[in-house]
Amino acid sequence: MLEEIKKTAAFVAAATGDFRPEVGIILGTGLGDFADTIEAEYTLEYKDIPGFPVSTVEGHKGRLIFGRIEGRKVVAMQGRFHYYEGYPMSQVTFPVRVMKLLGIRYLFVSNASGGINPSFRTGDLMIITDHINLMPNPLIGPNMAELGPRFPDMHNCYDRELIARATKIAETEGIKLQYGVYVGGTGPTFETQAEYRYFKAIGGDAAGMSTVPEVIVARHMSVPVFGVSVITNCGLSDEAGDHEDVQRQGRKAGVRMAVLFREMIKNL
Ligand code: HPA
């Protein structure tokens, strides 16, 4: 596995003139438009990268964009891999490990989720302060000691300092923020009403189907993480979950998320 990761990283480095990004960004459902705000220098389709899986979900493009935001070198994943698509966790998290080998020092993640906290509204941005993992742990199996420890610490999983900076920026920019715990389930079903109540009871504020595996793998490699979730539906309401609605809400909130990410990256 480690050899494959290294091989892919070497391929990507060669294909991008050894670009060496500082920040890795994962763009979730409906948030792909953010990629247009990157001054792109190199774009690689996942299908052209040896070792990369190929994204199957509607609304997810599949490419890596290398470029600059406010002068800082970033690599953005436009489209991610989900466990519910049938990929093993090693594949879901493969790009994060490759990005680390390419040099990233921060990982910014975004996703769409269903709000469980009754004070949340559709379209809110939630800063992820912690998570509860209800998927298989991506670190199960032989430990890649070259990348990180057997038993990684998960305190401060979402970097406190980055969260504090986001709070300041949001105040300056007039962006309303919520804060909360992201519960990562496998999907692909949206939760039953009883499951949303269960997620709330165990301490969750929002429910989603991604992010947690990538964050665990990033923390294994000691990469600081900043995570934002767009609340696209309210789980405890009577409304049914709907993928098109999720995409629409994601795109709307994506404008505010883009301001937040841009300002954060400028000030790293
Ligand atoms: N549950 C799980 N994942 C989601 C939801 C939800 O309600 N909304 C958007 N992604």
Side-chain angles (χ1 to χ4, degrees):
M1 190 64 197
L2 188 56
E3 282 317 302
E4 279 172 51
I5 297 163
K6 285 181 176 173
K7 249 203 250 165
T8 299
F11 171 90
V12 172
T16 57
D18 205 15
F19 183 79
R20 298 206 69 80
E22 276 180 83
V23 186
I25 305 170
I26 304 178
L27 299 168
T29 307
L31 299 169
D33 289 351
F34 178 75
D36 300 336
T37 71
I38 300 170
E39 295 156 47
E41 293 181 26
Y42 301 93
T43 300
L44 301 181
E45 302 285 330
Y46 294 160
K47 66 175 169 49
D48 299 329
I49 307 175
F52 252 58
V54 176
S55 185
T56 66
V57 193
E58 226 182 289
H60 289 259
K61 286 185 184 147
R63 54 192 186 188
L64 272 186
I65 299 162
F66 293 81
R68 286 172 198 265
I69 292 178
E70 301 286 346
R72 294 204 103 102
K73 290 161 93 178
V74 306
V75 54
M77 287 179 67
Q78 197 175 26
R80 60 146 62 86
F81 305 104
H82 301 86
Y83 187 61
Y84 63 72
E85 292 176 83
Y87 301 112
M89 280 296 182
S90 58
Q91 294 268 69
V92 171
T93 58
F94 188 84
V96 178
R97 287 174 164 147
V98 170
M99 290 194 288
K100 165 69 180 174
L101 293 196
L102 292 173
I104 64 163
R105 293 191 293 114
Y106 298 94
L107 180 68
F108 281 36
V109 291
S110 62
N111 61 47
S113 67
I116 318 166
N117 184 318
S119 72
F120 291 1
R121 297 288 168 266
T122 297
D124 279 353
L125 287 185
M126 183 188 88
I127 300 294
I128 306 175
T129 56
D130 210 340
H131 72 225
I132 294 173
N133 183 23
L134 298 182
M135 301 188 224
N137 194 300
L139 299 178
I140 290 172
N143 183 46
M144 289 186 252
E146 217 177 294
L147 299 182
R150 173 72 290 187
F151 301 107
D153 180 47
M154 285 286 135
H155 282 81
N156 199 21
C157 193
Y158 297 84
D159 193 83
R160 294 275 172 268
E161 204 185 306
L162 294 176
I163 293 173
R165 282 194 222 172
T167 302
K168 281 214 186 97
I169 289 164
E171 271 169 23
T172 310
E173 300 289 333
I175 297 169
K176 175 187 167 197
L177 290 183
Q178 304 283 12
Y179 298 83
V181 174
Y182 177 90
V183 184
T186 65
T189 46
F190 289 104
E191 288 69 22
T192 63
Q193 285 166 298
E195 284 165 344
Y196 284 121
R197 287 197 299 274
Y198 162 65
F199 283 12
K200 180 168 177 255
I202 62 174
D205 294 292
M209 311 174 189
S210 68
T211 303
V212 169
E214 295 114 308
V215 170
I216 290 174
V217 162
R219 293 305 301 142
H220 178 238
M221 302 181 295
S222 300
V223 175
V225 172
F226 177 67
V228 177
S229 191
V230 176
I231 306 297
T232 57
N233 54 292
C234 291
L236 295 169
S237 77
D238 289 334
E239 287 164 37
D242 177 81
H243 184 60
E244 273 174 31
D245 236 22
V246 166
Q247 286 180 298
R248 199 169 328 113
Q249 290 297 339
R251 274 195 298 274
K252 262 170 60 181
V255 178
R256 277 168 287 138
M257 198 205 70
V259 172
L260 189 62
F261 270 20
R262 173 170 291 271
E263 290 300 310
M264 297 272 304
I265 289 167
K266 187 162 120 186
N267 295 302
L268 280 175

